[in-house]
Amino acid sequence: MKLGKWFVYIFCVLILVPGCGKKQEEAVVPESASQQLAVQTVDFATTGSISGKVLFEGVVPPRKELPVKGNPECSVINHGQILSEELLSKDGTLQNVFVYVKQGLENYKFDPPADSVEIDNSKCVYVPHVTGVQAGQPVKFLNNDPTLHNIHAFAKNQPGFNMGLPFQGMKQMKKFNTPEVMVSLKCDVHPWMQGYIGVLPHPYFAVTGDDGSFTIKNLPPGNYVLEAWHETLGTKELPVTVGPQESKEVEFSFKSTGAPVTGHQ
Ligand SMILES: [Cu+2]
């Protein structure tokens, strides 16, 4: 070894300069704060929509009469009969399907609307049976019946709650702050009462009407995964690409499981 190399080696060992004698590494330039938190905003000049239908293949079971006996306040209110809403199908379509953008909006941030979503206790069922809300958006629970109801929310991603609405006309506001599909709503007084609320970090969701149709508007162009959720038939996913100002038509189809539609969990 030549004297020069020995000199460099000894010099490194003695003064312990980190990286001395190594090839100099490329400098790592940290991302700026704005890059790390890049949040896209919706350009409403370019937004499109997804609309379509949810179909049901199979024999539609007759709607069960719910067991309201022993609860005269409900049977009298509803003329003695309340029918199950577990599977509502008309002309080959499926109602009460929660359709929402499951993936593709991760880089966007949407403030929750100040307007509340309303869920009514009416004739001893929840109206609407299935609904959606943005995380942090107020939900107004109302009792329209001359009897005691309570709202018992069963959630996995956030604390649930159990609150009473003892009198007709009473209202209570609540918020669900964490996305969750779906939060289950039940009434401990009337065990057949069952509702569902989908909580999302964005406004791109819809519930199918009695013709199985839905529309999701003002969606920025992009590649998405759409999910359709039904309370007894499960979920289905569909990749959908929406171009600028494009109106996309899609279709979901659920098949009868063959199993009888039975009581709620
Ligand atoms: Cu009740």
Side-chain angles (χ1 to χ4, degrees):
M1 190 174 281
K2 289 182 181 177
L3 190 61
K5 284 188 179 177
W6 272 110
F7 178 77
V8 170
Y9 176 76
I10 293 166
F11 180 77
C12 287
V13 170
L14 286 179
I15 66 171
L16 297 174
V17 177
C20 183
K22 291 182 184 173
K23 183 184 174 187
Q24 191 174 4
E25 293 179 4
E26 289 182 14
V28 177
V29 180
E31 287 185 17
S32 69
S34 62
Q35 281 175 313
Q36 288 174 14
L37 300 173
V39 175
Q40 287 181 258
T41 53
V42 177
D43 175 5
F44 286 96
T46 65
T47 56
S49 65
I50 303 175
S51 59
K53 286 215 171 199
V54 180
L55 306 177
F56 177 72
E57 297 175 46
V59 178
V60 181
R63 293 177 65 185
K64 284 180 311 169
E65 185 177 344
L66 295 174
V68 299
K69 286 174 185 167
N71 295 269
E73 69 279 6
C74 294
S75 57
V76 169
I77 291 165
N78 209 32
H79 310 295
Q81 195 181 50
I82 304 176
L83 296 177
S84 165
E85 297 172 282
E86 282 181 333
L87 202 159
L88 300 182
S89 176
K90 191 176 78 176
D91 301 328
T93 68
L94 193 58
Q95 188 180 345
N96 281 339
V97 179
F98 187 69
V99 184
Y100 70 103
V101 174
K102 186 176 186 178
Q103 287 174 32
L105 290 164
E106 291 76 14
N107 291 335
Y108 292 86
K109 186 177 182 305
F110 300 93
D111 292 329
D115 293 343
S116 60
V117 168
E118 197 168 297
I119 297 178
D120 199 355
N121 291 254
S122 180
K123 296 181 179 176
C124 294
V125 294
Y126 292 117
V127 181
H129 183 63
V130 176
T131 193
V133 67
Q134 266 185 252
Q137 183 176 6
V139 182
K140 184 193 289 179
F141 290 97
L142 243 153
N143 183 359
N144 248 329
D145 291 337
T147 187
L148 161 69
H149 289 296
N150 75 312
I151 309 283
H152 199 160
F154 294 86
K156 291 176 184 160
N157 297 349
Q158 53 214 305
F161 59 81
N162 190 355
M163 66 176 181
L165 291 173
F167 307 113
Q168 190 169 29
M170 278 192 76
K171 300 169 192 170
Q172 286 261 32
M173 302 292 273
K174 285 282 181 186
K175 285 181 182 176
F176 299 93
N177 291 316
T178 308
E180 183 166 353
V181 176
M182 308 285 283
V183 173
S184 172
L185 305 173
K186 291 184 77 71
C187 173
D188 297 320
V189 184
H190 309 109
W192 64 84
M193 288 182 71
Q194 174 74 67
Y196 297 95
I197 184 162
V199 185
L200 291 177
H202 58 71
Y204 300 105
F205 54 85
V207 178
T208 56
D210 64 2
D211 62 352
S213 68
F214 69 91
T215 301
I216 295 172
K217 294 179 181 173
N218 299 324
L219 192 60
N223 299 314
Y224 300 107
V225 174
L226 211 59
E227 182 168 89
W229 171 98
H230 184 267
E231 64 185 282
T232 59
L233 300 174
T235 58
K236 289 195 179 291
E237 287 186 359
L238 194 66
V240 184
T241 298
V242 177
Q245 297 183 316
E246 187 179 13
S247 300
K248 202 88 178 191
E249 292 276 337
V250 300
E251 207 170 77
F252 287 97
S253 185
F254 285 86
K255 284 184 181 169
S256 168
T257 61
V261 177
T262 55
H264 296 289
Q265 294 175 358

